[in-house]
Amino acid sequence: MNFPKRKQKIIEQLSQTGEVDIKQLAAELNISEITARRDLNQLAADGLLYRTRGGATKVNPHEKPHSFVNKSAQNAAVKDAICRRAASQISDGDIIFMDCGSTVFRLCQFIKNKKIKVITNSLPVVYELQDSAVSVNIIGGELDKERQAVHGTTAIEHIQKYRATKAFLGVDGISEAGLFANSEHEASITTAFAASSAFTYILCDISKISKETYLNFAGLDIINAIITNADPERLKGFKESGIVILKADI
Amino acid sequence: MNFPKRKQKIIEQLSQTGEVDIKQLAAELNISEITARRDLNQLAADGLLYRTRGGATKVNPHEKPHSFVNKSAQNAAVKDAICRRAASQISDGDIIFMDCGSTVFRLCQFIKNKKIKVITNSLPVVYELQDSAVSVNIIGGELDKERQAVHGTTAIEHIQKYRATKAFLGVDGISEAGLFANSEHEASITTAFAASSAFTYILCDISKISKETYLNFAGLDIINAIITNADPERLKGFKESGIVILKADI
DNA sequence: TCATTATTAATCATAAACGATCAAAAAGAA
DNA sequence: TTCTTTTTGATCGTTTATGATTAATAATGA
């Protein structure tokens, strides 16, 4: 058992239990206590843990692990159907905005070979389009680790400098009262994208339709179309407000 | 059994079991231990594995969803020594710039628990810092897929809006004539970072010292310090220009 | 307060691994 | 073939990782 391997084990246990004990470490890794001690000293010197008497603890004990839950795999079939419909709206030469919605993310797989420019604040989108024909432009600014996306005033200013032919955005809820979001950050990004885009699509599955949650940040007038799997019958109200309804058949 | 064939076998076993042992390798491939040692050293210099005493281990112990092709694993030991020295210059509260240099990338592992802000144009840096205590700010603009970093006029303007206490940057070459880069994009980013930072460190291993390549984009006056593993004796000229030399002891 | 105990740093010892150097063998070029 | 270059192996002094020992230091409790 060499140092890199031990280091890995130590860091692993530390992140799980929050602390390690020299005696227990020595026993577990089949090394002498002094070697365990030396390992911990080395890792402490590199700032990877805090040395305590007889062991070590995490540097940031109360730090909540930024858990980016990738919701995009939930109801993948429905989301893919919506995204296929969305991708069919995109032609070569388009400049498109994509936000950090979980449905929007699944659009990536369908546009990899298109000759378009994508402007996005979503890191997963950037990663996914890394090996693609698409030219990528990243919105700059502060990174929201939980959402894996960029937000803040710098991001807004950045968006305002660009103009897109189409925007593909997600929302936390949409009703005849307009668009709803669970965070102000997300709301301002959505508003900025919509304002700088010639045509704005909202991608949402049936669970978001008629859902009113937290912040009603904009009216329906800032968007042009909804792509969803919901029955168009349920969407009559939107149609009457001039919104184009595109049904994704599953 | 020639080197390319052995290399393939070694990499294969490494990806399966995560580690190789020199004795076992020598026996298995019918070569002497010293040849096995030489093979591993070669592969370590190329960044294909990490050398340990008596063997080698994988570069990426856990499979990550996205992998960045990275020169940063090449000569990892030297780069780590430089980065340890660099990390020791960083205190909580600092706002630091990091560019897309391969040495700079390895600084991430030593700053994960620091309470600092990092502003960067490098995607691998962003990815590496996503589960850290560090607050991350991404430079916005066009993504250079080859370098996995953001560049362009938007990026420059973004950088100019921020002020950092320290910048940690890489170069393709440095001599008493100044800084050298292999691309204009990279040069302009480096210049912008240095201009907006109170103190600028260049991280470079000995191979970059006195190397003059392609574009001499700036004089030594835009930087404040060099962190390197090169012998300070060779760096007298820099010292006379008022550059602080920090020797990384390996 | 002091005494007891556990932990640590410092020092040393040892075996394994290492780099440097040179020689032999293999491969390639003239 | 002969010469040169590259690869491989052997030898040997040096370095490194590890563990044992012991004195110093810090925590704990009476």
Side-chain angles (χ1 to χ4, degrees):
Chain A
M1 177 83 69
N2 46 23
F3 178 66
K5 200 146 188 157
R6 295 200 303 268
K7 169 178 171 179
Q8 190 190 325
K9 292 247 182 207
I10 293 169
I11 299 293
E12 193 176 312
Q13 186 186 333
L14 208 56
S15 70
Q16 280 172 12
T17 70
E19 60 185 339
V20 291
D21 175 77
I22 286 202
K23 286 184 190 302
Q24 167 258 319
L25 216 56
E28 204 154 310
L29 303 179
N30 281 312
I31 52 176
S32 69
E33 289 188 24
I34 188 161
T35 300
R37 209 180 340 267
R38 278 197 269 243
D39 283 358
L40 294 187
N41 287 348
Q42 171 69 49
L43 296 176
D46 289 348
L48 273 59
L49 47 77
Y50 273 154
R51 196 60 218 287
T52 62
R53 211 139 223 277
T57 66
K58 274 200 244 195
V59 177
N60 300 311
H62 304 302
E63 186 99 4
K64 56 172 189 323
H66 306 284
S67 55
F68 169 65
V69 281
N70 195 339
K71 288 187 297 182
S72 79
Q74 296 168 7
N75 295 330
V78 169
K79 288 176 177 170
D80 280 355
I82 292 171
C83 288
R84 275 198 195 87
R85 197 77 163 87
S88 73
Q89 304 291 307
I90 301 174
S91 359
D92 283 357
D94 267 339
I95 296 159
I96 70 171
F97 286 139
M98 290 172 69
D99 76 359
C100 54
S102 64
T103 304
V104 174
F105 169 77
R106 295 196 74 89
L107 182 55
C108 292
Q109 58 187 313
F110 301 114
I111 61 174
K112 282 193 173 177
N113 294 313
K114 292 184 190 284
K115 287 174 182 49
I116 57 173
K117 286 183 195 295
V118 166
I119 304 173
T120 185
N121 71 321
S122 158
L123 280 188
V125 167
V126 172
Y127 297 145
E128 195 66 21
L129 293 178
Q130 233 181 161
D131 304 305
S132 72
V134 174
S135 151
V136 177
N137 187 301
I138 306 177
I139 306 294
E142 290 184 359
L143 176 66
D144 177 339
K145 286 185 180 162
E146 205 157 329
R147 217 191 317 271
Q148 286 289 291
V150 175
H151 64 205
T153 57
T154 303
I156 302 294
E157 284 173 28
H158 184 139
I159 294 171
Q160 286 166 349
K161 284 203 289 191
Y162 289 87
R163 294 292 180 276
T165 54
K166 288 154 190 162
F168 295 89
L169 310 176
V171 285
D172 289 315
I174 185 167
S175 77
E176 285 167 46
L179 309 178
F180 291 80
N182 285 325
S183 103
E184 312 239 357
H185 290 304
E186 203 154 341
S188 60
I189 293 280
T190 305
T191 308
F193 272 138
S196 286
S197 153
F199 201 92
T200 300
Y201 300 84
I202 294 294
L203 310 189
C204 64
D205 60 45
I206 196 166
S207 71
K208 306 288 170 53
I209 302 288
S210 305
K211 183 176 170 191
E212 305 196 338
T213 173
Y214 193 54
L215 177 64
N216 181 10
F217 66 94
L220 288 176
D221 52 301
I222 74 163
I223 69 166
N224 304 99
I226 300 173
I227 307 181
T228 179
N229 63 324
D231 185 357
E233 199 60 26
R234 274 190 60 189
L235 302 165
K236 270 192 170 170
F238 296 110
K239 212 173 237 167
E240 281 159 16
S241 306
I243 307 291
V244 177
I245 305 296
L246 299 174
K247 170 78 160 67
D249 13 55
I250 198 153
Chain B
M1 177 85 67
N2 49 14
F3 177 65
K5 200 148 186 146
R6 294 200 304 268
K7 169 177 170 178
Q8 188 190 329
K9 290 252 180 203
I10 293 169
I11 299 294
E12 193 176 313
Q13 185 186 335
L14 209 55
S15 70
Q16 280 172 11
T17 69
E19 61 186 332
V20 293
D21 175 77
I22 285 202
K23 286 183 189 303
Q24 167 259 318
L25 216 57
E28 203 153 312
L29 304 179
N30 282 312
I31 52 175
S32 68
E33 289 188 23
I34 187 160
T35 301
R37 218 188 324 275
R38 278 196 270 243
D39 284 359
L40 294 187
N41 287 350
Q42 172 69 48
L43 296 176
D46 291 347
L48 274 59
L49 47 77
Y50 286 148
R51 194 62 217 286
T52 64
R53 208 138 229 273
T57 64
K58 266 202 259 198
V59 174
N60 293 321
H62 349 266
E63 296 304 327
K64 295 183 177 176
H66 298 280
S67 71
F68 295 89
V69 278
N70 226 315
K71 284 191 300 181
S72 80
Q74 295 172 7
N75 295 106
V78 169
K79 288 176 176 168
D80 280 355
I82 292 171
C83 288
R84 277 202 186 85
R85 197 81 163 82
S88 75
Q89 304 291 308
I90 301 173
S91 355
D92 283 358
D94 267 340
I95 296 157
I96 71 172
F97 286 139
M98 290 172 70
D99 76 359
C100 54
S102 65
T103 304
V104 174
F105 170 77
R106 294 195 75 87
L107 183 54
C108 293
Q109 60 186 314
F110 300 117
I111 61 174
K112 282 193 173 178
N113 293 309
K114 292 185 190 281
K115 287 172 181 51
I116 58 175
K117 287 184 196 292
V118 167
I119 305 172
T120 186
N121 70 321
S122 159
L123 273 193
V125 167
V126 170
Y127 192 70
E128 193 67 18
L129 291 178
Q130 70 185 355
D131 292 309
S132 72
V134 174
S135 150
V136 176
N137 187 301
I138 306 176
I139 306 293
E142 290 183 359
L143 178 66
D144 177 340
K145 287 186 181 157
E146 198 165 334
R147 200 146 3 103
Q148 301 185 309
V150 175
H151 65 203
T153 56
T154 304
I156 302 292
E157 284 172 28
H158 184 141
I159 293 171
Q160 286 166 348
K161 284 202 288 190
Y162 288 87
R163 293 291 180 278
T165 54
K166 288 153 190 163
F168 295 89
L169 310 175
V171 285
D172 289 314
I174 185 169
S175 78
E176 285 167 45
L179 309 178
F180 291 79
N182 286 326
S183 102
E184 312 240 358
H185 289 307
E186 204 153 341
S188 59
I189 293 280
T190 305
T191 308
F193 273 138
S196 286
S197 153
F199 201 92
T200 300
Y201 299 84
I202 295 292
L203 309 190
C204 64
D205 62 44
I206 196 167
S207 70
K208 307 288 170 55
I209 303 286
S210 305
K211 184 175 171 190
E212 306 196 334
T213 173
Y214 192 55
L215 177 63
N216 182 8
F217 67 94
L220 288 176
D221 53 297
I222 73 162
I223 69 165
N224 304 100
I226 300 173
I227 307 181
T228 179
N229 63 324
D231 184 359
E233 198 61 25
R234 275 188 61 186
L235 302 166
K236 270 193 171 171
F238 296 109
K239 213 175 236 168
E240 281 159 17
S241 307
I243 308 291
V244 177
I245 306 294
L246 299 175
K247 171 82 160 67
D249 13 52
I250 198 154

